[in-house]
Amino acid sequence: MTRICISLLSLAWLVLSSACSSDGIEIEAEIRGLGTQNVHIVYNGDNGAADDVVQAQKERFTARLSSSELTVVSVLDARHMLVARFAAQNGDHITIDGDLAAPHLMKITGNEATEQWLKFRREHDKLYAKPVPQALDREIEKWVAAHPKQVGSTLLLLIDHSNLAGSGKQSLLNVIAPEARPDHLIASVEWLNEYYSRSATDQIVSLNLCGTRGDFEMLNLAGRPALLYFWSNDRTPRAGIVRAIRQRLKADEAAQPLVADILLDADTLQWSATCRADSATWQHYWVPGGVVDVALRDLRVPSAPFFVVTNAGGRIVYRGENVAEALKAIP
C-alpha cells in the first residue's frame, strides 16, 4: 500500500511539474553592456498584443510570457533599440547570451525553430552587413528550398528576406511544408512588422533636431523629396549604406532629394569623426533620446538602421530597414 501511495504521489508530482513547465515561456538573459535599465518584451500572445516591461539588473533579466502557439518575440532596450528576437511558445525555456554591441551575434537557445534560424544568420553573417540585400535573399531562398520542413525557414523568409510584399510572399512561403509555417507564427510576424508603423504619422514636414554645431535647429522636409537615414554607431553597417546613397545621388544629379542622417546614440563622441571619415556630404543630426526622443515620436522609428522617404509634400512613401528599397522609393 505504501508503494502504491508513493507511486501515486510521484505521478501527481510529474503531472504538476509538467503543467508548471508548459504554462508559459521563461526567459533568462545575460547581455553584456545592458547594465541596469528597463527592457521591453514585445510579442503577440494568448492575451493579444503585449509590451511587457521588466528591469535588467547588472546585465541580467528574467521574464515570463504566455503564448500557447509559436510566436515571435522582440526584446528592446529602454530606447526601444532591438536587442534580440526569437520564436517561442509555452513550455520553452529561452536563454539569451551575448553583447549589446553585437546583437546580430546573440546566442539564443530554447527551441529548434530559433536555433535553425540563428544558425543560418551566423553562417551568413557577412551578407547581413551588406547594404544591398539581393545576395542575402538568394541564399535565404536556397536555404528554404533545401530545408522546407524547418520552421526556421519560415522565420528566415518572413523576417530576413527583403522582398516579401504582394504576391511574391505567398509563392515563397508555399515552398515550405504547411506544418512548418503555422498560421499564428506568420500572423505574429506580420503584427510585429506593423507594431510601430500602424500608429505612425503618414506625413511630416519638419523635425526639430540637434545639428553639428550643437544647437537644435529645424529640418524642413517640404518642397522636395527627402531621405532620412537613422543610424547607430554600434548597430549599423554605415560605410556600405553611405556608399549606396552616394551612388544613387550621383546617378541622378539632376533631381537631388534632401538627405539627412540622424544618429540615435546618446554618446556622440565619435559622431563628427565618423561623418567626416565616410565623406557623406548631406546634413547630419542626432537625437539625445534615441528612438523614443520626443522629436521622433510621430515617426515610430523602431531601431537602426531605418529609413523614411517623403515626397515633396512631406507625405511618407517608404519606411523600413532596407536601404535599396528606400532609394527606389525616392520620387
Side-chain angles (χ1 to χ4, degrees):
M1 184 68 177
T2 303
R3 288 181 180 175
I4 294 173
C5 290
I6 291 172
S7 297
L8 288 173
L9 286 170
S10 299
L11 179 61
W13 172 253
L14 285 171
V15 171
L16 286 171
S17 299
S18 175
C20 290
S21 65
S22 62
D23 64 356
I25 302 165
E26 295 180 347
I27 302 174
E28 285 188 83
E30 181 176 1
I31 301 171
R32 289 164 290 286
L34 189 62
T36 298
Q37 61 171 293
N38 286 337
V39 173
H40 292 257
I41 302 177
V42 178
Y43 68 105
N44 197 2
D46 288 342
N47 298 315
D51 184 350
D52 295 346
V53 180
V54 299
Q55 187 172 59
Q57 294 277 1
K58 297 181 179 178
E59 304 184 333
R60 298 176 182 231
F61 69 87
T62 61
R64 191 175 185 85
L65 319 179
S66 179
S67 180
S68 54
E69 298 183 76
L70 196 63
T71 191
V72 172
V73 181
S74 288
V75 178
L76 314 169
D77 67 13
R79 296 187 302 134
H80 278 252
M81 300 290 281
L82 184 66
V83 173
R85 184 170 285 167
F86 53 88
Q89 67 185 82
N90 290 348
D92 288 344
H93 184 97
I94 303 294
T95 61
I96 306 173
D97 180 72
D99 196 303
L100 194 63
H104 59 293
L105 297 178
M106 207 73 67
K107 182 180 179 183
I108 306 175
T109 59
N111 61 55
E112 199 172 13
T114 294
E115 290 166 18
Q116 290 164 352
W117 176 35
L118 297 185
K119 179 177 185 290
F120 177 93
R121 291 179 68 96
R122 284 193 302 273
E123 292 177 357
H124 299 81
D125 180 52
K126 292 181 180 178
L127 290 181
Y128 281 88
K130 292 181 178 294
V132 179
Q134 279 78 6
L136 176 60
D137 288 347
R138 285 194 297 270
E139 289 302 311
I140 289 174
E141 290 169 21
K142 284 166 55 179
W143 177 279
V144 169
H147 303 85
K149 295 184 179 181
Q150 292 188 358
V151 180
S153 293
T154 299
L155 292 170
L156 266 174
L157 271 182
L158 292 176
I159 296 175
D160 294 344
H161 196 285
S162 72
N163 187 21
L164 281 186
S167 58
K169 170 183 172 180
Q170 195 57 51
S171 63
L172 287 169
L173 280 173
N174 285 344
V175 174
I176 302 172
E179 64 272 18
R181 46 179 167 93
D183 291 341
H184 185 81
L185 178 64
I186 295 172
S188 76
V189 175
E190 291 173 344
W191 170 83
L192 199 59
N193 289 339
E194 295 174 2
Y195 179 68
Y196 289 95
S197 61
R198 275 187 311 221
S199 56
T201 183
D202 59 4
Q203 187 171 21
I204 189 161
V205 294
S206 64
L207 289 170
N208 189 28
L209 305 168
C210 185
T212 51
R213 292 173 296 189
D215 299 323
F216 279 85
E217 55 190 72
M218 198 63 69
L219 172 60
N220 185 9
L221 301 177
R224 60 171 166 157
L227 168 68
L228 304 178
Y229 160 37
F230 300 89
W231 65 289
S232 164
N233 273 311
D234 290 338
R235 307 170 189 215
T236 307
R238 181 176 168 87
I241 288 174
V242 168
R243 187 162 54 249
I245 296 174
R246 290 179 65 194
Q247 288 173 350
R248 166 63 173 78
L249 296 178
K250 187 176 181 181
D252 190 10
E253 295 180 351
Q256 291 292 295
L258 181 150
V259 177
D261 62 43
I262 301 165
L263 178 66
L264 299 174
D265 295 343
D267 183 1
T268 62
L269 290 177
Q270 300 177 350
W271 179 35
S272 297
T274 300
C275 293
R276 283 197 305 270
D278 63 27
S279 302
T281 55
W282 48 80
Q283 295 161 276
H284 308 293
Y285 299 93
W286 74 285
V287 285
V291 294
V292 295
D293 194 279
V294 65
L296 305 182
R297 180 176 54 201
D298 293 337
L299 284 176
R300 300 294 193 272
V301 175
S303 189
F306 197 77
F307 305 89
V308 172
V309 178
T310 61
N311 65 18
R315 184 164 294 279
I316 294 173
V317 296
Y318 176 83
R319 45 178 287 118
E321 302 173 0
N322 188 319
V323 64
E325 294 298 315
L327 294 174
K328 284 197 299 186
I330 296 174

